[in-house]
Amino acid sequence: MAISVFDLFKIGIGPSSSHTVGPMRAAATFAQALREQGLLRSTQRVEVRLYGSLSATGVGHATDRACLLGLMGQWPDRIDPASIDSRIGQVLQEHCLMVDGSHPVAFDYARDLLLLDENLPYHPNAMRLEAFDAQTSLLHQTYYSVGGGFIVEEAELTAPAGLAPTVTLPYEFDSAAELLALCGQHGLSVAQMMMANECAWRPEAQVRDGLLRIWAAMRECVDNGLRNEGVLPGGLQVKRRAAKLHRSLQELGKPNVIGSTLSAMEWVNLFALAVNEENAAGGRMVTAPTNGAAGIIPAVLHYFMKFNPGACDDDVVDFLLAAAAVGILCKKNASISGAEVGCQGEVGSACSMAAAGLAQLLGATPAQLENAAEIALEHNLGLTCDPVGGLVQVPCIERNAIAAVKAINAVQMALRGDGEHFISLDRVIRTMRDTGADMHANYKETSRGGLAVAFVEC
């Protein structure tokens, strides 16, 4: 399967790519199918069934709200986050759902949106949507939200391979070893090779414009996080910290003025906290490659762009392209879904991607870039996904800040070497996959183990 940089970086809303963005896209796709198949006007009831991890932490991750918004014809990259509360409030108050934005259907939350304590076979994040007329079922579909906002319809799992749309890439790679071999054979950097692949979908000018729009959304998310204050929604009473920290850092001036790396780390921490506080509040952000890990890549790139006088748009493009190369490897050969492999697949993948992006900008060879990505991912292996209260807040927000600093350190270590190292990135990605398979389900986004349980016991 060919994966584009724009599959990994998608503009959406918080708090979760797999639990909010994916289900909203699935529900909007279902509403669109009702319209396109001429079934919308006959629809009198719609039922949503959430399974596995979508059910276990669905309310905390706003999966229920995302499904309703999607059925109303809203898409995560287009909806105004400020309108969400009023839209959901109207549905609950009037017991009426405006399917596809135009067709009113009676809706009873307790009857029509079911959180089920069972799993479907393909993936822990599963949902079934079904539309009825007065007597019979009109249309039903099962969707899997497989991480990063990606959705897979059940029908796609059994479709003949020849029916799937394909794109022929000039430099197709399924492993880091293949990526390095192609770079060496053709004399290309990782970013250059990725740009050539992206041009199989669209002209280079469109690729650049799209990546700069992604960067603009990341910057806006940081800015919003630096400005907004108060308590995050959800009941844990977690206070936003980014705005206060920003004010204190502004008094210090530029980083490293105290002769150490501590000030630099605080700025990187700040940018990551700002993004993930916005995400936790349901604001506009970019999956990178997921919402739960959305602060790491913007934090590293934002720091480079803010404090490097020579930084320009070309750096943004190269950073995101190189980062996406590693994200593609993680998705193809393991997973970026916390429900599937734990937080090592989210924060670990994002940390590795950020390291690759920064290594590209600092002049790393492809081998050094691969080494930086390997170091970053290796030291996130085994990381569990155990959000307290099913909310993307504790430990998720701080975890992004820690991983952003870790990505920078990985690059520093890799640049001190020549690219030769003991464990390859491919082996680390396979280890992440195998570790995720061995990991108990309680530690994979269900909030039934780890810190989530420890918090309750306290």
Side-chain angles (χ1 to χ4, degrees):
M1 176 181 65
I3 300 175
S4 165
V5 62
F6 298 109
D7 292 323
L8 292 168
F9 298 118
K10 294 188 284 289
I11 299 174
I13 59 170
S16 171
S17 50
S18 58
H19 287 61
T20 314
V21 176
M24 189 186 298
R25 292 184 65 219
T29 300
F30 185 78
Q32 182 175 283
L34 287 174
R35 170 168 42 84
E36 293 175 347
Q37 296 180 34
L39 301 173
L40 186 59
R41 297 303 171 193
S42 302
T43 300
Q44 296 187 22
R45 187 169 77 89
V46 177
E47 183 178 88
V48 179
R49 291 173 169 253
L50 301 178
Y51 299 87
S53 182
L54 290 187
S55 172
T57 60
V59 176
H61 284 76
T63 308
D64 52 346
R65 292 156 63 94
C67 291
L68 299 185
L69 293 167
L71 286 171
M72 288 188 279
Q74 298 296 318
W75 294 83
D77 59 334
R78 304 172 200 167
I79 190 171
D80 177 6
S83 72
I84 291 177
D85 285 346
S86 61
R87 290 177 186 273
I88 297 297
Q90 185 175 3
V91 172
L92 298 181
Q93 181 178 355
E94 300 179 0
H95 303 286
C96 178
L97 188 67
M98 197 67 70
V99 179
D100 197 42
S102 62
H103 179 64
V105 171
F107 184 82
D108 184 318
Y109 185 97
R111 178 196 67 185
D112 299 326
L113 200 150
L114 305 176
L115 304 175
L116 303 173
D117 189 18
E118 59 183 286
N119 293 303
L120 297 188
Y122 176 68
H123 193 278
N125 292 334
M127 57 188 289
R128 281 180 175 161
L129 299 171
E130 189 164 9
F132 304 86
D133 61 13
Q135 297 178 322
T136 61
S137 172
L138 298 173
L139 180 68
H140 62 87
Q141 182 59 270
T142 299
Y143 299 90
Y144 296 94
S145 181
V146 296
F150 287 84
I151 58 171
V152 176
E153 294 185 21
E154 189 171 51
E156 296 178 58
L157 302 176
T158 56
L163 297 181
T166 59
V167 172
T168 301
L169 303 180
Y171 304 110
E172 180 71 56
F173 60 91
D174 293 316
S175 68
E178 291 177 2
L179 182 151
L180 292 177
L182 287 168
C183 287
Q185 179 182 350
H186 298 281
L188 298 173
S189 71
V190 173
Q192 287 171 331
M193 195 181 72
M194 282 292 296
M195 176 60 83
N197 283 347
E198 286 300 316
C199 289
W201 281 285
R202 53 190 69 83
E204 181 173 338
Q206 289 185 17
V207 176
R208 287 180 57 84
D209 288 346
L211 291 175
L212 293 177
R213 281 196 297 273
I214 293 293
W215 173 230
M218 288 180 173
R219 290 201 320 270
E220 182 181 7
C221 186
V222 170
D223 291 342
N224 288 340
L226 298 182
R227 182 179 61 252
N228 293 328
E229 300 188 67
V231 176
L232 294 172
L236 293 181
Q237 300 301 307
V238 174
K239 294 181 179 179
R240 288 179 180 256
R241 289 177 284 176
K244 182 179 179 180
L245 176 58
H246 186 219
R247 288 192 294 270
S248 66
L249 288 180
Q250 284 177 311
E251 297 175 0
L252 295 177
K254 290 191 175 182
N256 298 325
V257 295
I258 58 175
S260 74
T261 61
L262 295 180
S263 178
M265 287 173 57
E266 287 201 288
W267 280 98
V268 176
N269 287 340
L270 169 67
F271 298 142
L273 293 174
V275 171
N276 285 91
E277 287 175 357
E278 276 299 295
N279 177 64
R284 169 78 64 225
M285 37 65 61
V286 176
T287 64
T290 66
N291 284 36
I296 299 165
I297 286 172
V300 175
L301 181 54
H302 204 89
Y303 180 78
F304 179 90
M305 297 298 292
K306 183 176 180 64
F307 294 112
N308 183 346
C312 63
D313 287 349
D314 288 343
D315 293 319
V316 171
V317 172
D318 286 349
F319 183 105
L320 294 176
L321 287 171
V326 171
I328 288 169
L329 293 174
C330 291
K331 178 156 180 63
K332 281 187 174 183
N333 299 307
S335 175
I336 59 172
S337 169
E340 195 168 13
V341 297
C343 198
Q344 58 175 352
E346 296 198 37
V347 162
S349 295
C351 183
S352 187
M353 292 168 67
L358 182 60
Q360 177 72 55
L361 299 191
L362 296 182
T365 65
Q368 288 173 318
L369 183 151
E370 185 262 0
N371 188 14
E374 177 272 325
I375 293 171
L377 183 56
E378 178 182 358
H379 298 289
N380 282 286
L381 289 177
L383 193 60
T384 57
C385 184
D386 45 0
V388 175
L391 302 169
V392 192
Q393 297 179 19
V394 181
C396 317
I397 296 172
E398 287 182 354
R399 188 169 285 175
N400 275 253
I402 297 297
V405 173
K406 187 181 292 187
I408 296 171
N409 196 25
V411 175
Q412 290 177 315
M413 295 178 69
L415 289 177
R416 290 296 184 183
D418 58 6
E420 293 289 331
H421 53 106
F422 192 74
I423 300 291
S424 70
L425 176 60
D426 288 326
R427 288 186 179 182
V428 174
I429 292 175
R430 286 197 297 271
T431 301
M432 177 171 70
R433 177 198 65 197
D434 295 342
T435 302
D438 292 339
M439 191 179 291
H440 194 283
N442 285 357
Y443 302 100
K444 294 192 282 189
E445 216 167 36
T446 60
S447 289
R448 293 171 179 161
L451 288 175
V453 175
F455 174 80
V456 174
E457 289 177 348
C458 290

